[in-house]
Structures are given as structure tokens and as C-alpha cells.
């Protein structure tokens, strides 16, 4: 298999995951849950807010990496 064929195969495999309803639902749930937690925080809890923002960014980065 050539390098181009390998890249195309990986693309097809990634697309299979990205279009999978279970994957889409999981990413949406993670994001929704993190945002809900952020809304519950006290305005003074900057450390907690920072951690939740980092979590949200990690989910988004993983989604983009796929």
C-alpha cells in the first residue's frame, strides 16, 4: 500500500468515527456537561472556571484532531 493509499484509508476510518452517532452524542454531552458545571460555579471560583475551560478545550482539541 502506498503512502497516499494509507492516508486515504486513515481518512475513511476517521470519517467513520466522526460520523458515528455515538461519537457525536458523546462529544456533545461532554461539552454540554462542562458548560453546565461552569454556569454553576461561583463568580469567585476562578480556579474551577479555569479547569473547566481547559477541559472544554481538551474535548475540542480531541475532536479537531480526529
Amino acid at each position: 500500500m502506498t503512502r497516499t493509499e494509507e492516508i486515504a484509508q486513515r481518512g475513511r476510518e476517521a470519517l467513520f468515527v466522526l460520523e458515528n452517532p455515538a461519537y457525536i452524542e458523546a462529544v456533545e454531552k461532554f461539552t454540554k456537561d462542562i458548560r453546565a458545571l461552569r454556569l454553576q460555579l461561583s463568580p469567585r471560583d476562578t480556579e474551577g472556571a479555569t479547569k473547566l475551560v481547559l477541559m472544554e478545550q481538551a474535548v475540542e482539541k480531541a475532536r479537531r484532531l480526529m
Side-chain angles (χ1 to χ4, degrees), residues 22-32 59-60 62-63:
Y23 177 81
I24 293 167
E25 184 179 329
V27 171
E28 288 174 358
K29 180 157 176 38
F30 290 148
T31 303
K32 182 180 175 182
V59 170
E60 179 60 24
R63 187 190 65 76

Side-chain angles (χ1 to χ4, degrees), residues 34 38 41 45-57:
I34 292 167
R38 278 186 24 217
L41 286 178
D45 188 357
T46 57
E47 183 178 344
T50 299
K51 288 179 182 179
L52 289 170
V53 167
L54 291 174
M55 283 182 186
E56 193 171 357
Q57 289 173 345

